[in-house]
Amino acid sequence: MLTRADLEAREAATLAPYAALSAESGGREYPEAESEARTAFARDRDRVLHTGAFRRLEHKTQVFLNVRGDHYRTRLTHTLEVAQVARSAALRLGLNETLAEVQALAHDLGHPPYGHAGERLLDGLVRAHGEASGFDHNLQARRTVTQLEDRYPDFPGLNLTRTVLDGLNKHERAGLGQPTLEAQLVDVADALAYTAHDLEDGLRSGLLLEGDLLELGLWRELLARTGLSGVNLSKRERRTLHRELLGFLIGDLTAASAAAITASGVGSVADVRAQPGYLICHSPAVAALLSETRQFLFVHLYRHWRVEMQVAQAEQILTTLFEAYLSRPQMLPPAYAARLAGAGEVRTVCDFLAGMTDRYALDMYEELTRPGLGMGWAR
């Protein structure tokens, strides 16, 4: 049976010199004995997996409300796809797969209900009520794992290692240098994954048409690689294109990143942090294809009139809930009411709403707005 020391020794012997090692995790804010059987990063991953915040991602919107169909991505399936991409690329680059995995699993824990529309709305609401820092899902992910998850008697949050927490900090990096290569990889894998799966979900929904995609250089590249016509595609042919897309993008990501790492001459995590920018990247040609594709998705999918109807629904629900709980904070559940003195009413209400699933937000909205429903839970 392998011990933690054995696993740490394996990392030191097999990973690249610029990979982040579990044995050099930076420790934890609240001292505690490490596991005898798991590395520090493996323990962090397991803690994230067992949170309520992680489970709630199943019922949070990616692009389409999950009541619209059983096969559209949710925030949870998106997270799992990011973890798969990050692990695959980390393996090829000699990086720490476990660190990449835990940061991928945690990166969206702060996302509110109703996707990016919910994030924009909460940001506007808290700013309008005097919170200059606004709302950002990246900052909320860190807040979730350091404060909001209540699972241990001796400390708030999950007490994750400092290296993992640093990887969740995409802002305010002055003096900190660049993130580890594993954290950079998750950041790039996030954009890669949502671009790929939003194309597939857009086609499945009928909001994107195959003929319209012919204007995209990335789509034409995939058709050339697969020999498909690009119109009247069967479900199996769409899946073939999606697989080819992922393989193409991951292959380019690993090749371009390997070249950038070699050219930089980095030989340690400290060298990585001292770099002027990211070393994890796509080639210029593929980066341009992705940029064009994301702009296309913004115009033709994220701002499609049917998606905008979902946005309008989200605005009505979250605005009503925010104003109701802010005007009557005594309606907050006890766990959140206990935070009012320390965090203040605006931030506490924001925390409560950000943790909701789409379905729970709708349920609370109906209890508040439909006469006679509000007492059903009290029996």
Side-chain angles (χ1 to χ4, degrees):
M1 294 177 61
L2 297 179
T3 66
R4 173 172 52 83
D6 295 327
L7 297 172
E8 290 173 348
R10 176 189 290 177
E11 285 185 358
T14 60
L15 296 182
Y18 40 76
L21 301 179
S22 299
E24 301 171 2
S25 68
R28 305 175 188 275
E29 180 179 357
Y30 301 93
E32 56 177 312
E34 287 295 341
S35 167
E36 288 300 313
R38 295 173 293 172
T39 66
F41 294 153
R43 194 181 197 185
D44 285 353
R45 175 201 58 206
D46 297 345
R47 287 184 172 183
V48 169
L49 279 171
H50 289 285
T51 60
F54 184 78
R55 292 193 296 275
R56 288 194 298 271
L57 295 177
E58 180 181 4
H59 297 291
K60 292 192 176 189
T61 292
Q62 180 66 23
V63 174
F64 300 98
L65 297 181
N66 57 24
V67 297
R68 300 296 182 188
D70 293 335
H71 296 102
Y72 295 121
R73 267 73 173 193
T74 66
R75 191 61 58 180
L76 177 61
T77 56
H78 164 71
T79 294
L80 295 176
E81 291 182 23
V82 173
Q84 180 269 315
V85 171
R87 283 188 62 95
S88 295
L91 178 64
R92 294 193 64 188
L93 292 170
L95 301 179
N96 194 315
E97 296 172 68
T98 307
L99 176 58
E101 182 180 29
V102 63
Q103 293 186 156
L105 294 176
H107 85 283
D108 266 356
L109 291 181
H111 246 296
Y114 303 113
H116 288 288
E119 180 173 20
R120 291 193 301 271
L121 183 61
L122 278 183
D123 181 57
L125 287 169
V126 297
R127 289 181 187 276
H129 286 83
E131 287 279 345
S133 59
F135 177 85
D136 177 272
H137 81 270
N138 295 304
L139 296 177
Q140 191 71 11
R142 186 183 176 96
R143 185 171 172 80
T144 298
V145 300
T146 58
Q147 299 181 44
L148 301 180
E149 278 291 326
D150 183 18
R151 303 182 64 83
Y152 301 95
D154 299 327
F155 48 79
L158 305 181
N159 201 28
L160 303 180
T161 59
R162 289 183 172 87
T163 295
V164 169
L165 292 178
D166 178 72
L168 297 177
N169 182 15
K170 295 185 180 180
H171 307 280
E172 302 173 356
R173 297 204 60 85
L176 298 177
Q178 298 297 330
T180 64
L181 292 177
E182 290 83 358
Q184 294 179 33
L185 179 56
V186 170
D187 196 13
V188 179
D190 182 21
L192 183 160
Y194 75 65
T195 301
H197 63 52
D198 287 355
L199 274 174
E200 185 179 33
D201 280 356
L203 285 172
R204 177 184 287 114
S205 70
L207 303 190
L208 295 181
L209 302 178
E210 296 160 351
D212 295 337
L213 296 183
L214 293 173
E215 71 180 71
L216 292 176
L218 182 59
W219 190 251
R220 295 194 299 272
E221 173 72 23
L222 296 176
L223 295 176
R225 286 171 169 268
T226 59
L228 296 174
S229 67
V231 293
N232 299 319
L233 296 170
S234 67
K235 290 183 179 179
R236 182 173 295 174
E237 288 172 331
R238 287 180 183 172
R239 290 168 184 155
T240 297
L241 284 168
H242 185 252
R243 286 195 303 273
E244 182 66 30
L245 175 58
L246 285 175
F248 172 62
L249 293 179
I250 294 173
D252 178 81
L253 173 63
T254 52
S257 298
I261 291 168
T262 299
S264 73
V266 296
S268 66
V269 172
D271 290 344
V272 171
R273 293 195 183 280
Q275 292 297 300
Y278 272 23
L279 296 175
I280 301 297
C281 58
H282 286 285
S283 66
V286 171
L289 292 177
L290 284 170
S291 178
E292 178 194 33
T293 303
R294 288 168 190 146
Q295 181 60 32
F296 176 91
L297 289 171
F298 181 84
V299 173
H300 296 280
L301 182 61
Y302 308 144
R303 290 294 180 263
H304 192 283
W305 67 270
R306 289 192 179 276
V307 176
E308 288 290 347
M309 290 181 68
Q310 295 179 182
V311 172
Q313 181 187 33
E315 290 178 348
Q316 182 175 357
I317 291 171
L318 291 181
T319 300
T320 300
L321 291 176
F322 188 91
E323 298 295 346
Y325 283 108
L326 192 61
S327 65
R328 289 181 175 272
Q330 60 267 34
M331 293 194 304
L332 289 167
Y336 285 90
R339 300 182 56 81
L340 286 168
E345 293 179 354
V346 174
R347 185 57 62 184
T348 301
V349 170
C350 180
D351 287 339
F352 182 44
L353 266 62
M356 290 182 174
T357 63
D358 299 4
R359 180 174 57 192
Y360 185 72
L362 179 59
D363 287 347
M364 292 299 98
Y365 174 79
E366 289 182 342
E367 287 206 16
L368 284 170
T369 58
R370 291 175 60 185
L373 289 182
M375 295 300 293
W377 54 268
R379 288 178 297 187

